[in-house]
Amino acid sequence: MQCDGLVAVVTGAASGLGAATARRLAREGARVAILDYDAEGAARVAGEIGGIGIGCDVGDAAQVAAAFERIGSELGAVRVAVNCAGIGLAARVVGRDGTLSTDLFERTIRVNLIGSFHVMAHASRMMMAEAPLETGERGVVINTASIAYQDGQVGQTAYAASKGGIAAMCLPAAREMAKQGVRVMAIAPGLFHTPMMEGLPEETTAGIVANIPFPHRLGDPDEYALMVSQIVANPYLNGEVIRLDAAVRLPQR
């Protein structure tokens, strides 16, 4: 499936992996809708690429439904959906003072996992209503997991659980939507140069990079965007979680 002329939606695209993905899909000819909690950031990136920016909390079902109504009205039916929206809060299950992190766990699951499900559900329903393309496809959904779903570190229980859910739903969702010609994939990125990393002290970043085999550096968001583009283009990629991590395995801490 080629992006030229198609409608794509990218969540979390005001910055980081999502912004790089939105820009790449636009360069390839897609008309891109950007959903982000940061409405100003979404509008800014959308202005750069000639798309539309929509402020949206993906964990809120009503907001996602309204966003897709607007996308359908202004751009047309979505053929490519990429979920990059997410939060990465860290906390121990039981803090040193005995405090439980239940609220943080629920919030992380709501945004990362339930939010991805909301977008996948609305996007795939829109895809299923469209005629198939020449390849027989009606569309593709790409969700963002994380290598933390397999290598979760201390303090990442909530984050790893949310990303593990994204990985786990990939195959059954792909099987469910196969008859309608909708593919479902997931990317599990490793350590990338994103705003979250940019906020770390230099010595902390150096310690992180020291554990990355090759290439011996943080990932570039454009490399994530390239993987998205390759998934869109290759119709035989379906129902799989791809680690994009330069062969790194996260240590315990």
Side-chain angles (χ1 to χ4, degrees), residues 11-57:
T11 71
S15 63
L17 304 181
T21 299
R23 292 185 178 108
R24 184 176 189 94
L25 294 178
R27 288 197 304 271
E28 295 181 358
R31 293 169 289 161
V32 183
I34 292 171
L35 273 58
D36 201 292
Y37 190 79
D38 176 6
E40 291 185 3
R44 182 183 65 254
V45 176
E48 295 174 9
I49 64 175
I52 61 172
I54 304 172
C56 180
D57 175 359

mmCIF file of all heavy atoms in Angstrom, residues 11-57:
data_model
loop_
_atom_site.group_PDB
_atom_site.id
_atom_site.type_symbol
_atom_site.label_atom_id
_atom_site.label_comp_id
_atom_site.label_asym_id
_atom_site.label_seq_id
_atom_site.Cartn_x
_atom_site.Cartn_y
_atom_site.Cartn_z
ATOM 1 N N THR A 11 -1.341 9.573 16.263
ATOM 2 C CA THR A 11 -1.554 10.122 17.597
ATOM 3 C C THR A 11 -0.218 10.416 18.258
ATOM 4 O O THR A 11 0.808 9.834 17.915
ATOM 5 C CB THR A 11 -2.364 9.157 18.489
ATOM 6 O OG1 THR A 11 -1.550 8.028 18.841
ATOM 7 C CG2 THR A 11 -3.624 8.679 17.774
ATOM 8 N N GLY A 12 -0.245 11.343 19.214
ATOM 9 C CA GLY A 12 0.993 11.722 19.896
ATOM 10 C C GLY A 12 1.986 12.368 18.957
ATOM 11 O O GLY A 12 3.198 12.265 19.152
ATOM 12 N N ALA A 13 1.483 13.053 17.937
ATOM 13 C CA ALA A 13 2.353 13.547 16.863
ATOM 14 C C ALA A 13 2.739 15.010 17.005
ATOM 15 O O ALA A 13 3.230 15.616 16.053
ATOM 16 C CB ALA A 13 1.689 13.316 15.505
ATOM 17 N N ALA A 14 2.567 15.590 18.186
ATOM 18 C CA ALA A 14 3.043 16.953 18.405
ATOM 19 C C ALA A 14 4.553 16.970 18.612
ATOM 20 O O ALA A 14 5.184 18.029 18.537
ATOM 21 C CB ALA A 14 2.345 17.580 19.607
ATOM 22 N N SER A 15 5.141 15.795 18.861
ATOM 23 C CA SER A 15 6.586 15.726 19.100
ATOM 24 C C SER A 15 7.055 14.288 18.931
ATOM 25 O O SER A 15 6.241 13.372 18.730
ATOM 26 C CB SER A 15 6.935 16.225 20.511
ATOM 27 O OG SER A 15 6.336 15.383 21.492
ATOM 28 N N GLY A 16 8.357 14.088 19.017
ATOM 29 C CA GLY A 16 8.933 12.763 19.092
ATOM 30 C C GLY A 16 8.642 11.840 17.922
ATOM 31 O O GLY A 16 8.641 12.239 16.760
ATOM 32 N N LEU A 17 8.402 10.570 18.236
ATOM 33 C CA LEU A 17 8.183 9.554 17.217
ATOM 34 C C LEU A 17 6.973 9.880 16.351
ATOM 35 O O LEU A 17 6.993 9.678 15.129
ATOM 36 C CB LEU A 17 7.984 8.181 17.867
ATOM 37 C CG LEU A 17 9.091 7.673 18.797
ATOM 38 C CD1 LEU A 17 8.736 6.281 19.326
ATOM 39 C CD2 LEU A 17 10.438 7.646 18.089
ATOM 40 N N GLY A 18 5.914 10.378 16.989
ATOM 41 C CA GLY A 18 4.696 10.694 16.244
ATOM 42 C C GLY A 18 4.890 11.820 15.261
ATOM 43 O O GLY A 18 4.405 11.761 14.121
ATOM 44 N N ALA A 19 5.602 12.869 15.668
ATOM 45 C CA ALA A 19 5.841 14.004 14.767
ATOM 46 C C ALA A 19 6.677 13.571 13.571
ATOM 47 O O ALA A 19 6.398 13.951 12.423
ATOM 48 C CB ALA A 19 6.539 15.138 15.519
ATOM 49 N N ALA A 20 7.711 12.763 13.811
ATOM 50 C CA ALA A 20 8.546 12.276 12.713
ATOM 51 C C ALA A 20 7.725 11.431 11.752
ATOM 52 O O ALA A 20 7.886 11.508 10.524
ATOM 53 C CB ALA A 20 9.714 11.459 13.264
ATOM 54 N N THR A 21 6.825 10.620 12.302
ATOM 55 C CA THR A 21 5.974 9.772 11.470
ATOM 56 C C THR A 21 5.011 10.602 10.640
ATOM 57 O O THR A 21 4.829 10.355 9.438
ATOM 58 C CB THR A 21 5.198 8.789 12.351
ATOM 59 O OG1 THR A 21 6.132 7.953 13.057
ATOM 60 C CG2 THR A 21 4.258 7.921 11.527
ATOM 61 N N ALA A 22 4.388 11.592 11.264
ATOM 62 C CA ALA A 22 3.455 12.454 10.533
ATOM 63 C C ALA A 22 4.152 13.162 9.381
ATOM 64 O O ALA A 22 3.625 13.249 8.264
ATOM 65 C CB ALA A 22 2.829 13.464 11.489
ATOM 66 N N ARG A 23 5.358 13.658 9.638
ATOM 67 C CA ARG A 23 6.099 14.367 8.595
ATOM 68 C C ARG A 23 6.468 13.425 7.448
ATOM 69 O O ARG A 23 6.371 13.793 6.278
ATOM 70 C CB ARG A 23 7.353 15.010 9.193
ATOM 71 C CG ARG A 23 7.054 16.166 10.158
ATOM 72 C CD ARG A 23 8.327 16.856 10.622
ATOM 73 N NE ARG A 23 8.029 17.984 11.506
ATOM 74 C CZ ARG A 23 8.247 17.995 12.818
ATOM 75 N NH1 ARG A 23 8.781 16.927 13.413
ATOM 76 N NH2 ARG A 23 7.939 19.053 13.538
ATOM 77 N N ARG A 24 6.882 12.213 7.779
ATOM 78 C CA ARG A 24 7.267 11.277 6.722
ATOM 79 C C ARG A 24 6.060 10.866 5.876
ATOM 80 O O ARG A 24 6.136 10.827 4.641
ATOM 81 C CB ARG A 24 7.933 10.040 7.312
ATOM 82 C CG ARG A 24 8.431 9.112 6.216
ATOM 83 C CD ARG A 24 9.178 7.903 6.724
ATOM 84 N NE ARG A 24 9.782 7.203 5.590
ATOM 85 C CZ ARG A 24 11.017 7.395 5.158
ATOM 86 N NH1 ARG A 24 11.804 8.260 5.780
ATOM 87 N NH2 ARG A 24 11.476 6.727 4.122
ATOM 88 N N LEU A 25 4.952 10.550 6.523
ATOM 89 C CA LEU A 25 3.766 10.155 5.768
ATOM 90 C C LEU A 25 3.295 11.286 4.862
ATOM 91 O O LEU A 25 2.862 11.047 3.725
ATOM 92 C CB LEU A 25 2.642 9.741 6.728
ATOM 93 C CG LEU A 25 2.914 8.481 7.563
ATOM 94 C CD1 LEU A 25 1.752 8.217 8.505
ATOM 95 C CD2 LEU A 25 3.154 7.264 6.668
ATOM 96 N N ALA A 26 3.400 12.523 5.354
ATOM 97 C CA ALA A 26 3.015 13.678 4.528
ATOM 98 C C ALA A 26 3.947 13.805 3.328
ATOM 99 O O ALA A 26 3.500 14.094 2.207
ATOM 100 C CB ALA A 26 3.030 14.953 5.362
ATOM 101 N N ARG A 27 5.259 13.595 3.541
ATOM 102 C CA ARG A 27 6.206 13.653 2.427
ATOM 103 C C ARG A 27 5.895 12.593 1.375
ATOM 104 O O ARG A 27 6.166 12.785 0.184
ATOM 105 C CB ARG A 27 7.648 13.468 2.924
ATOM 106 C CG ARG A 27 8.209 14.640 3.693
ATOM 107 C CD ARG A 27 9.726 14.576 3.789
ATOM 108 N NE ARG A 27 10.213 13.337 4.373
ATOM 109 C CZ ARG A 27 10.401 13.143 5.676
ATOM 110 N NH1 ARG A 27 10.135 14.114 6.542
ATOM 111 N NH2 ARG A 27 10.875 11.986 6.122
ATOM 112 N N GLU A 28 5.330 11.488 1.829
ATOM 113 C CA GLU A 28 4.997 10.409 0.904
ATOM 114 C C GLU A 28 3.625 10.591 0.264
ATOM 115 O O GLU A 28 3.153 9.701 -0.452
ATOM 116 C CB GLU A 28 5.088 9.062 1.630
ATOM 117 C CG GLU A 28 6.512 8.736 2.071
ATOM 118 C CD GLU A 28 6.628 7.401 2.770
ATOM 119 O OE1 GLU A 28 5.594 6.726 2.961
ATOM 120 O OE2 GLU A 28 7.760 7.016 3.128
ATOM 121 N N GLY A 29 2.996 11.717 0.540
ATOM 122 C CA GLY A 29 1.751 12.055 -0.142
ATOM 123 C C GLY A 29 0.476 11.846 0.627
ATOM 124 O O GLY A 29 -0.622 12.059 0.090
ATOM 125 N N ALA A 30 0.567 11.431 1.882
ATOM 126 C CA ALA A 30 -0.636 11.221 2.678
ATOM 127 C C ALA A 30 -1.187 12.541 3.201
ATOM 128 O O ALA A 30 -0.446 13.498 3.403
ATOM 129 C CB ALA A 30 -0.336 10.285 3.847
ATOM 130 N N ARG A 31 -2.485 12.565 3.405
ATOM 131 C CA ARG A 31 -3.134 13.675 4.091
ATOM 132 C C ARG A 31 -3.260 13.255 5.549
ATOM 133 O O ARG A 31 -3.927 12.281 5.861
ATOM 134 C CB ARG A 31 -4.504 13.962 3.484
ATOM 135 C CG ARG A 31 -4.433 14.509 2.055
ATOM 136 C CD ARG A 31 -5.799 14.536 1.399
ATOM 137 N NE ARG A 31 -6.260 13.180 1.103
ATOM 138 C CZ ARG A 31 -7.517 12.851 0.882
ATOM 139 N NH1 ARG A 31 -8.477 13.763 0.965
ATOM 140 N NH2 ARG A 31 -7.852 11.603 0.600
ATOM 141 N N VAL A 32 -2.597 14.007 6.429
ATOM 142 C CA VAL A 32 -2.385 13.527 7.796
ATOM 143 C C VAL A 32 -3.180 14.330 8.827
ATOM 144 O O VAL A 32 -3.147 15.555 8.841
ATOM 145 C CB VAL A 32 -0.889 13.576 8.159
ATOM 146 C CG1 VAL A 32 -0.659 12.994 9.555
ATOM 147 C CG2 VAL A 32 -0.057 12.811 7.126
ATOM 148 N N ALA A 33 -3.867 13.592 9.689
ATOM 149 C CA ALA A 33 -4.517 14.177 10.858
ATOM 150 C C ALA A 33 -3.681 13.843 12.078
ATOM 151 O O ALA A 33 -3.264 12.692 12.268
ATOM 152 C CB ALA A 33 -5.928 13.623 11.026
ATOM 153 N N ILE A 34 -3.411 14.847 12.892
ATOM 154 C CA ILE A 34 -2.595 14.687 14.086
ATOM 155 C C ILE A 34 -3.476 14.818 15.322
ATOM 156 O O ILE A 34 -4.172 15.812 15.497
ATOM 157 C CB ILE A 34 -1.479 15.745 14.127
ATOM 158 C CG1 ILE A 34 -0.467 15.464 13.009
ATOM 159 C CG2 ILE A 34 -0.792 15.776 15.488
ATOM 160 C CD1 ILE A 34 0.546 16.556 12.836
ATOM 161 N N LEU A 35 -3.453 13.794 16.156
ATOM 162 C CA LEU A 35 -4.168 13.824 17.426
ATOM 163 C C LEU A 35 -3.133 13.896 18.546
ATOM 164 O O LEU A 35 -2.202 13.083 18.582
ATOM 165 C CB LEU A 35 -5.025 12.574 17.610
ATOM 166 C CG LEU A 35 -6.450 12.564 17.048
ATOM 167 C CD1 LEU A 35 -6.445 12.815 15.560
ATOM 168 C CD2 LEU A 35 -7.142 11.244 17.370
ATOM 169 N N ASP A 36 -3.301 14.852 19.434
ATOM 170 C CA ASP A 36 -2.372 14.967 20.548
ATOM 171 C C ASP A 36 -3.053 15.699 21.691
ATOM 172 O O ASP A 36 -3.887 16.595 21.472
ATOM 173 C CB ASP A 36 -1.107 15.724 20.130
ATOM 174 C CG ASP A 36 0.073 15.435 21.049
ATOM 175 O OD1 ASP A 36 0.041 15.852 22.220
ATOM 176 O OD2 ASP A 36 1.024 14.767 20.594
ATOM 177 N N TYR A 37 -2.691 15.327 22.911
ATOM 178 C CA TYR A 37 -3.205 16.025 24.091
ATOM 179 C C TYR A 37 -2.797 17.494 24.050
ATOM 180 O O TYR A 37 -3.509 18.367 24.525
ATOM 181 C CB TYR A 37 -2.654 15.347 25.348
ATOM 182 C CG TYR A 37 -3.282 15.813 26.636
ATOM 183 C CD1 TYR A 37 -4.524 15.339 27.023
ATOM 184 C CD2 TYR A 37 -2.625 16.713 27.469
ATOM 185 C CE1 TYR A 37 -5.113 15.766 28.209
ATOM 186 C CE2 TYR A 37 -3.192 17.142 28.647
ATOM 187 C CZ TYR A 37 -4.438 16.670 29.019
ATOM 188 O OH TYR A 37 -5.018 17.092 30.177
ATOM 189 N N ASP A 38 -1.628 17.751 23.472
ATOM 190 C CA ASP A 38 -1.114 19.109 23.280
ATOM 191 C C ASP A 38 -1.710 19.679 21.991
ATOM 192 O O ASP A 38 -1.169 19.501 20.902
ATOM 193 C CB ASP A 38 0.416 19.062 23.192
ATOM 194 C CG ASP A 38 1.047 20.419 22.891
ATOM 195 O OD1 ASP A 38 0.319 21.429 22.850
ATOM 196 O OD2 ASP A 38 2.278 20.459 22.682
ATOM 197 N N ALA A 39 -2.835 20.373 22.123
ATOM 198 C CA ALA A 39 -3.546 20.882 20.945
ATOM 199 C C ALA A 39 -2.707 21.882 20.159
ATOM 200 O O ALA A 39 -2.715 21.879 18.919
ATOM 201 C CB ALA A 39 -4.865 21.525 21.370
ATOM 202 N N GLU A 40 -1.960 22.737 20.854
ATOM 203 C CA GLU A 40 -1.131 23.725 20.169
ATOM 204 C C GLU A 40 -0.018 23.045 19.385
ATOM 205 O O GLU A 40 0.289 23.419 18.248
ATOM 206 C CB GLU A 40 -0.543 24.726 21.170
ATOM 207 C CG GLU A 40 -1.584 25.661 21.782
ATOM 208 C CD GLU A 40 -0.943 26.710 22.681
ATOM 209 O OE1 GLU A 40 0.311 26.733 22.770
ATOM 210 O OE2 GLU A 40 -1.692 27.493 23.293
ATOM 211 N N GLY A 41 0.600 22.052 19.995
ATOM 212 C CA GLY A 41 1.653 21.313 19.310
ATOM 213 C C GLY A 41 1.118 20.569 18.098
ATOM 214 O O GLY A 41 1.765 20.516 17.050
ATOM 215 N N ALA A 42 -0.077 19.988 18.229
ATOM 216 C CA ALA A 42 -0.694 19.284 17.107
ATOM 217 C C ALA A 42 -0.952 20.243 15.954
ATOM 218 O O ALA A 42 -0.683 19.931 14.788
ATOM 219 C CB ALA A 42 -1.990 18.620 17.551
ATOM 220 N N ALA A 43 -1.460 21.433 16.281
ATOM 221 C CA ALA A 43 -1.743 22.434 15.244
ATOM 222 C C ALA A 43 -0.455 22.904 14.574
ATOM 223 O O ALA A 43 -0.424 23.134 13.357
ATOM 224 C CB ALA A 43 -2.491 23.617 15.856
ATOM 225 N N ARG A 44 0.608 23.030 15.366
ATOM 226 C CA ARG A 44 1.885 23.496 14.815
ATOM 227 C C ARG A 44 2.441 22.504 13.793
ATOM 228 O O ARG A 44 2.815 22.883 12.676
ATOM 229 C CB ARG A 44 2.891 23.706 15.938
ATOM 230 C CG ARG A 44 4.246 24.243 15.455
ATOM 231 C CD ARG A 44 5.238 24.362 16.588
ATOM 232 N NE ARG A 44 5.591 23.077 17.168
ATOM 233 C CZ ARG A 44 5.171 22.626 18.336
ATOM 234 N NH1 ARG A 44 4.373 23.359 19.084
ATOM 235 N NH2 ARG A 44 5.541 21.432 18.786
ATOM 236 N N VAL A 45 2.499 21.229 14.162
ATOM 237 C CA VAL A 45 3.031 20.221 13.248
ATOM 238 C C VAL A 45 2.108 20.064 12.038
ATOM 239 O O VAL A 45 2.580 19.938 10.901
ATOM 240 C CB VAL A 45 3.227 18.867 13.965
ATOM 241 C CG1 VAL A 45 3.680 17.793 12.983
ATOM 242 C CG2 VAL A 45 4.245 18.999 15.098
ATOM 243 N N ALA A 46 0.815 20.105 12.274
ATOM 244 C CA ALA A 46 -0.135 20.001 11.165
ATOM 245 C C ALA A 46 0.059 21.147 10.175
ATOM 246 O O ALA A 46 -0.025 20.957 8.958
ATOM 247 C CB ALA A 46 -1.569 20.000 11.694
ATOM 248 N N GLY A 47 0.331 22.336 10.698
ATOM 249 C CA GLY A 47 0.574 23.481 9.827
ATOM 250 C C GLY A 47 1.805 23.300 8.965
ATOM 251 O O GLY A 47 1.839 23.755 7.812
ATOM 252 N N GLU A 48 2.805 22.618 9.504
ATOM 253 C CA GLU A 48 4.039 22.378 8.756
ATOM 254 C C GLU A 48 3.823 21.435 7.578
ATOM 255 O O GLU A 48 4.506 21.536 6.555
ATOM 256 C CB GLU A 48 5.108 21.765 9.675
ATOM 257 C CG GLU A 48 5.576 22.671 10.801
ATOM 258 C CD GLU A 48 6.522 21.934 11.746
ATOM 259 O OE1 GLU A 48 6.921 20.787 11.413
ATOM 260 O OE2 GLU A 48 6.852 22.485 12.809
ATOM 261 N N ILE A 49 2.893 20.491 7.732
ATOM 262 C CA ILE A 49 2.750 19.430 6.727
ATOM 263 C C ILE A 49 1.444 19.518 5.941
ATOM 264 O O ILE A 49 1.146 18.626 5.133
ATOM 265 C CB ILE A 49 2.861 18.038 7.391
ATOM 266 C CG1 ILE A 49 1.713 17.817 8.383
ATOM 267 C CG2 ILE A 49 4.214 17.885 8.082
ATOM 268 C CD1 ILE A 49 1.686 16.416 8.986
ATOM 269 N N GLY A 50 0.665 20.565 6.196
ATOM 270 C CA GLY A 50 -0.584 20.719 5.463
ATOM 271 C C GLY A 50 -1.674 19.756 5.900
ATOM 272 O O GLY A 50 -2.554 19.395 5.108
ATOM 273 N N GLY A 51 -1.626 19.334 7.168
ATOM 274 C CA GLY A 51 -2.645 18.428 7.690
ATOM 275 C C GLY A 51 -3.587 19.147 8.626
ATOM 276 O O GLY A 51 -3.710 20.376 8.588
ATOM 277 N N ILE A 52 -4.261 18.406 9.480
ATOM 278 C CA ILE A 52 -5.116 19.004 10.488
ATOM 279 C C ILE A 52 -4.666 18.522 11.865
ATOM 280 O O ILE A 52 -4.264 17.372 12.034
ATOM 281 C CB ILE A 52 -6.617 18.690 10.278
ATOM 282 C CG1 ILE A 52 -6.891 17.171 10.344
ATOM 283 C CG2 ILE A 52 -7.107 19.271 8.962
ATOM 284 C CD1 ILE A 52 -8.375 16.841 10.335
ATOM 285 N N GLY A 53 -4.693 19.421 12.839
ATOM 286 C CA GLY A 53 -4.306 19.089 14.195
ATOM 287 C C GLY A 53 -5.507 19.116 15.105
ATOM 288 O O GLY A 53 -6.307 20.064 15.057
ATOM 289 N N ILE A 54 -5.652 18.101 15.926
ATOM 290 C CA ILE A 54 -6.813 17.982 16.804
ATOM 291 C C ILE A 54 -6.346 17.696 18.222
ATOM 292 O O ILE A 54 -5.622 16.722 18.468
ATOM 293 C CB ILE A 54 -7.747 16.844 16.343
ATOM 294 C CG1 ILE A 54 -8.186 17.063 14.878
ATOM 295 C CG2 ILE A 54 -8.962 16.742 17.252
ATOM 296 C CD1 ILE A 54 -8.955 15.896 14.294
ATOM 297 N N GLY A 55 -6.733 18.543 19.149
ATOM 298 C CA GLY A 55 -6.454 18.277 20.547
ATOM 299 C C GLY A 55 -7.318 17.131 21.022
ATOM 300 O O GLY A 55 -8.543 17.167 20.862
ATOM 301 N N CYS A 56 -6.709 16.099 21.583
ATOM 302 C CA CYS A 56 -7.478 14.904 21.936
ATOM 303 C C CYS A 56 -6.771 14.102 23.015
ATOM 304 O O CYS A 56 -5.573 13.814 22.907
ATOM 305 C CB CYS A 56 -7.680 14.038 20.686
ATOM 306 S SG CYS A 56 -8.611 12.516 20.962
ATOM 307 N N ASP A 57 -7.508 13.730 24.041
ATOM 308 C CA ASP A 57 -7.045 12.773 25.033
ATOM 309 C C ASP A 57 -7.492 11.403 24.541
ATOM 310 O O ASP A 57 -8.683 11.078 24.571
ATOM 311 C CB ASP A 57 -7.673 13.087 26.395
ATOM 312 C CG ASP A 57 -7.339 12.062 27.466
ATOM 313 O OD1 ASP A 57 -6.633 11.070 27.162
ATOM 314 O OD2 ASP A 57 -7.794 12.232 28.616
#
